[in-house]
Structures are given as structure tokens and as C-alpha cells.
């Protein structure tokens, strides 16, 4: 199984695709929204499971074409009624009734027809929750080989900032992600997730703790070793 954290395609299907190469061959930026607003809603989504990211995907279908397994919970009856049973199989390691939908030999979701989601109104919650802006927010890289379309869109996202505090928040989130990525050996074996999207989600969950600890460290450079920061992060998440 790759990762059961997939795909929204957002709700902004009507937006025109603006992310084509510009005249100089460079990539044109896509507005990702105001950073602090995005961060607050993503934190809430991760903490309370509110889900349903409103991603301005435009014409992108990157996450429908990136060889992802899509998790579907037993209570998602509308999605389950629309997806042929032969496309589903039991999700390894999850309770009975939790299913996965695979992908075609081309890496496409089998429900993607003529480049559109054929069950869009009833698509799984996993699809509704997926928001590739989390990579742009954290600086964590997707796999450019398996997820080239997503990687391209991630490179195009450009957040804006309502004030300097918002800009500083983004700096801290990126620093927290880099800390997790670069200090795996300071965490208990297996505690940090392996998949980039899970590491990015964990970053959003812990960045406030990281900010507090590094602010304390900033006042006394040697007072908090990185190993202690890692221990505190683990302890805070229980
Ligand atoms: S890769 Fe990102 S922009 Fe593209 S469809 Fe998926 S969530 Fe939307
Ligand atoms: S179910 Fe629809 S939204 Fe989800 S991956 Fe498949 S085509 Fe995309």
C-alpha cells in the first residue's frame, strides 16, 4: 500500500487553468491563498477531522493520476454505491470494511473518465481531503518520479501573506518540516511517518510545539539540544 491520503481535485473545477509555462518557459504561479488562513483550516481539519479541503485545482488532475490507493471507510455508502466492487479490496492493517481502490496500469484512478472524476459528487472523503498545498507549505518534496504532476503543481503554488506574522508562520512551518526530515535518528524508530504527505501533515500538527521550543532555544543557544526538542515533540503527541 502506498498512502491512504489522497485526492480532492478540490471543488474549483470551473476555474480556468492558468499554470501553463510563461513566455520565458518558466512556470507561472498559482495563487494558493493566504498562508495563515490556510494553516488554521488545515490544523482544524487534521485535529477535528473536518476535512474537505477547498483546493483551487483548476484543470489539474495530478492526484487522480499519481498511482494512489484511495481509502474508503465503511460508512461512505454513497461512494461505495458508485464504485464497482471489483475495484475495491480490504485495506491491509485496518478494521474489516475499510477498503482501498487501486489504480490502472497508467497510474490513473479508475473513476477518472475523460479526465474528469465520474463520481465527483460522491467521491470518497480521502479525495475531498487531499490538498497538495501542504507540500508547498512545508517544503517537503513529493516523489517527482511517481508524482510528477503533483510535483509540478506544488512548485507553482504561491501563498500570500496578510502580514509579517503570517510570513513568519510560514518560515516556522518550513523549519519544523526540515527538523523532522533531518533528525529522524533523534525520534523513536518508526515514530516518524515515511510517506511525504504524512510527514507534511505531522509538521502542521507539531509546528506550534516546535516554535515554542526553538524560541526558548533562541534565547539561550545551548539550552535545548535537538534531541530534547525531538523528545518534547514525541511527548506532546502522546
Ligand atoms: S494535485 Fe493538487 S491541484 Fe492537482 S488535482 Fe490534486 S489537489 Fe488539486
Ligand atoms: S475518485 Fe474521483 S476525485 Fe478521487 S481520485 Fe478518483 S477520479 Fe480523482
Amino acid at each position: 500500500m502506498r498512502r491512504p491520503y489522497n485526492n480532492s481535485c478540490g471543488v474549483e473545477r470551473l476555474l480556468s487553468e492558468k499554470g501553463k509555462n510563461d513566455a520565458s518557459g518558466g512556470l507561472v504561479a498559482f495563487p494558493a491563498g493566504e498562508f495563515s488562513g490556510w494553516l488554521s483550516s488545515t490544523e482544524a481539519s487534521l485535529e477535528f477531522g473536518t476535512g474537505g479541503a477547498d483546493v483551487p485545482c483548476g484543470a489539474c488532475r495530478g492526484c487522480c493520476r499519481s498511482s494512489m490507493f484511495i481509502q474508503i471507510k465503511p460508512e461512505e455508502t454513497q461512494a461505495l454505491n458508485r464504485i464497482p466492487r471489483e475495484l475495491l479490496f480490504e485495506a491491509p492493517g485496518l478494521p474489516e470494511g475499510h477498503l482501498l481502490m487501486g489504480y490502472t496500469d497508467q497510474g490513473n484512478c479508475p473513476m477518472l473518465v475523460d479526465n474528469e472524476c465520474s463520481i465527483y459528487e460522491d467521491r470518497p472523503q480521502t479525495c475531498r481531503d487531499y490538498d497538495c498545498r501542504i507540500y508547498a507549505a512545508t517544503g517537503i518534496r513529493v516523489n517527482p518520479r511517481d508524482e510528477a504532476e503533483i510535483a509540478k503543481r506544488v512548485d507553482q503554488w504561491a501563498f500570500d501573506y496578510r502580514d509579517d506574522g503570517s510570513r513568519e508562520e510560514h518560515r516556522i512551518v518550513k523549519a519544523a518540516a526540515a527538523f523532522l526530515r533531518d533528525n529522524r535518528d533523534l525520534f523513536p524508530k518508526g515514530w516518524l511517518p515515511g510517506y511525504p504527505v504524512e510527514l507534511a501533515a505531522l509538521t502542521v500538527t507539531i509546528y506550534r510545539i516546535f516554535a515554542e521550543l526553538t524560541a526558548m532555544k533562541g534565547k539561550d543557544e545551548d539550552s535545548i539540544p535537538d534531541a530534547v526538542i525531538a523528545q518534547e515533540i514525541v511527548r506532546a503527541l502522546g
Side-chain angles (χ1 to χ4, degrees), residues 6-9 63-64 70 101 109 111-112 117 119 123-124 127:
N6 192 356
N7 207 338
S8 143
C9 301
C63 46
C64 304
I70 300 168
M101 175 166 60
C109 171
M111 305 315 293
L112 189 70
C117 176
I119 58 165
R123 66 199 188 285
C127 304

Side-chain angles (χ1 to χ4, degrees), residues 7-204:
N7 207 338
S8 143
C9 301
V11 294
E12 305 271 346
R13 292 294 202 197
L14 299 179
L15 287 182
S16 61
E17 175 71 275
K18 294 179 183 164
K20 300 182 174 71
N21 290 352
D22 66 15
S24 64
L27 290 175
V28 175
F30 274 90
E34 199 283 317
F35 183 77
S36 293
W38 175 88
L39 186 59
S40 303
S41 68
T42 302
E43 277 184 284
S45 176
L46 290 169
E47 186 171 358
F48 305 115
T50 47
D54 188 3
V55 188
C57 301
C60 180
R61 302 292 180 267
C63 46
C64 304
R65 297 197 294 225
S66 294
S67 306
M68 291 192 181
F69 287 107
I70 300 168
Q71 184 186 335
I72 305 161
K73 298 190 182 111
E75 60 269 26
E76 294 189 69
T77 51
Q78 285 182 286
L80 291 169
N81 285 340
R82 299 285 304 275
I83 301 171
R85 187 62 184 85
E86 60 269 24
L87 296 177
L88 301 168
F89 57 94
E90 290 287 333
L94 292 179
E96 193 178 339
H98 287 255
L99 303 175
L100 293 179
M101 175 166 60
Y103 46 86
T104 67
D105 290 346
Q106 292 73 41
N108 296 343
C109 171
M111 305 315 293
L112 189 70
V113 178
D114 294 334
N115 209 31
E116 294 292 343
C117 176
S118 59
I119 58 165
Y120 189 68
E121 300 75 20
D122 299 320
R123 66 199 188 285
Q125 189 63 42
T126 308
C127 304
R128 298 170 192 270
D129 293 346
Y130 188 80
D131 182 350
C132 69
R133 291 174 296 181
I134 201 165
Y135 294 114
T138 57
I140 289 173
R141 304 292 298 174
V142 299
N143 183 331
R145 190 189 60 195
D146 294 345
E147 302 178 341
E149 285 188 64
I150 300 175
K152 180 182 169 192
R153 175 54 71 105
V154 170
D155 286 344
Q156 289 177 287
W157 286 130
F159 285 102
D160 59 84
Y161 306 95
R162 64 186 173 214
D163 53 27
D164 287 347
S166 173
R167 206 175 286 279
E168 174 64 5
E169 244 178 347
H170 198 176
R171 187 196 67 75
I172 291 169
V173 168
K174 284 187 169 173
F179 182 85
L180 296 181
R181 186 194 60 216
D182 297 341
N183 292 288
R184 279 191 172 273
D185 55 330
L186 299 181
F187 290 86
K189 196 169 178 347
W191 192 84
L192 284 179
Y195 292 124
V197 72
E198 293 168 336
L199 195 63
L202 179 63
T203 298
V204 171

